[in-house]
Amino acid sequence: MSTAVIPPAPDAPADPVAPATPAAAPPSTNRWLVPAAAAVTVVLWGSAFIGIRSAGFDYTPGALTLGRILVGTLALTVIAGLAGKLRLPRGRALIGVAVWGVLWFGLYNLALNAAERTLDAGTASLLVGLAPILIAVFAGISLGEGFPARLLAGIGIAFAGVAGIALATSSGASDVVSVLLGLAAAVVYAGSTILQKRLLPQVDSLTMTWLGCLAGTIACLPFTPVLLAEVAAAPASATLSVVYLGVFPTAIAFVTWGYALARTTAGRLGAATYAAAPLAVLMSWALLGEVPTPVALVGGALCLTGVLVATLRVR
């Protein structure tokens, strides 16, 4: 999933962090490419939950994280080489990008991979879908933007949904821990978004993504012995899932997101990302035969409703 959900145009999810300067309208001949790029991004991010679940039966969370972002780094290196646009930052910006990469590509993936050891892909995606609310909360705290009534209402609705999901998965202690890990992934996602917003004026998106993925890979190198052992033992289908995660949801989805983000207002583009969780539920049912329990689905619906209440501007 991406970390770039920026401020809104009318009727779009609000982003409390980025400046409210809309992008210039793209030429009419290219307008169909923007929604196409956005659709590719959302589908690939939704599919990531399926890939994690598929590979997670044969790869432990640390090995899966390292394998995914190692492949992602290699793919992004090829993409960046073809684009010829890498401009390395220096000083504090370089340190900031490295920290962002360790958080987003390393810690986020570790938490989500661990959560999906027992949570189905759809339920995990619904939990991570809380990130936009958490972004608004962090902005209210760190930027002094306060907590408007719609944000507080959305928080209440969303966390009622989390309680429903926790109730639906309370058959064992490991499931409760997995719910907490899913929430932790959403928290890291939101914090990484805030940090990225501060860094993007200093670093272009492609360079930041490549460098961040590289930093996350370096941080996860201690998992190398485990990854090598599991690659030797895992079936080809699981290893292909790891490669898929690295090439498509990690590398290609970030490139298509950046393409669309440069050619439209980010608020409108950010609205499309809310489709990732429902898509993950549908793909989990179609490809893995897994469906969240009815209580978890109700809880997930409340989570999404809370996000919409908190982030959509009402005329």
Side-chain angles (χ1 to χ4, degrees):
M1 194 171 277
S2 165
T3 58
V5 180
I6 327 178
D11 299 321
D15 183 328
V17 185
T21 303
S28 58
T29 55
N30 291 331
R31 282 183 181 170
W32 68 270
L33 292 174
V34 173
V40 168
T41 301
V42 170
V43 171
L44 291 181
W45 282 343
S47 73
F49 295 96
I50 316 305
I52 291 169
R53 184 70 170 157
S54 178
F57 293 107
D58 298 285
Y59 285 91
T60 53
L64 177 54
T65 298
L66 176 58
R68 172 180 179 173
I69 60 179
L70 178 59
V71 173
T73 298
L74 294 174
L76 284 164
T77 300
V78 172
I79 293 169
L82 293 173
K85 290 185 177 180
L86 287 183
R87 295 182 294 274
L88 296 181
R90 298 180 180 181
R92 291 184 178 181
L94 178 60
I95 294 172
V97 171
V99 170
W100 171 78
V102 171
L103 288 173
W104 177 240
F105 293 100
L107 189 57
Y108 168 83
N109 280 308
L110 276 172
L112 183 57
N113 294 345
E116 287 200 49
R117 299 280 281 182
T118 56
L119 290 182
D120 63 88
T123 300
S125 70
L126 292 167
L127 288 170
V128 172
L130 288 171
I133 277 186
L134 296 173
I135 292 169
V137 170
F138 288 167
I141 295 172
S142 64
L143 303 179
E145 295 185 359
F147 298 91
R150 62 183 175 81
L151 174 58
L152 294 175
I155 291 171
I157 295 169
F159 281 94
V162 171
I165 292 174
L167 177 65
T169 58
S170 62
S171 57
S174 63
D175 293 332
V176 175
V177 171
S178 293
V179 171
L180 294 176
L181 286 167
L183 290 174
V187 170
V188 175
Y189 172 3
S192 299
T193 300
I194 298 293
L195 179 57
Q196 187 183 27
K197 295 301 179 289
R198 296 183 181 277
L199 291 167
L200 277 174
Q202 307 169 61
V203 189
D204 69 275
S205 179
L206 179 57
T207 299
M208 185 171 182
T209 302
W210 172 78
L211 192 56
C213 198
L214 177 62
T217 301
I218 293 171
C220 291
L221 285 178
F223 295 112
T224 300
V226 180
L227 175 61
L228 292 175
E230 292 177 359
V231 166
S237 59
T239 301
L240 286 173
S241 292
V242 176
V243 173
Y244 173 85
L245 286 167
V247 173
F248 292 94
T250 302
I252 292 178
F254 270 99
V255 172
T256 53
W257 171 264
Y259 175 88
L261 188 61
R263 291 163 175 80
T264 187
T265 58
R268 292 187 185 279
L269 184 59
T273 64
Y274 294 150
L279 277 173
V281 173
L282 291 174
M283 286 188 281
S284 178
W285 167 68
L287 298 175
L288 302 177
E290 295 181 342
V291 181
T293 65
V295 175
L297 284 173
V298 171
L302 285 173
C303 289
L304 292 176
T305 300
V307 169
L308 292 174
V309 168
T311 60
L312 284 180
R313 293 176 182 266
V314 179
R315 285 183 172 179

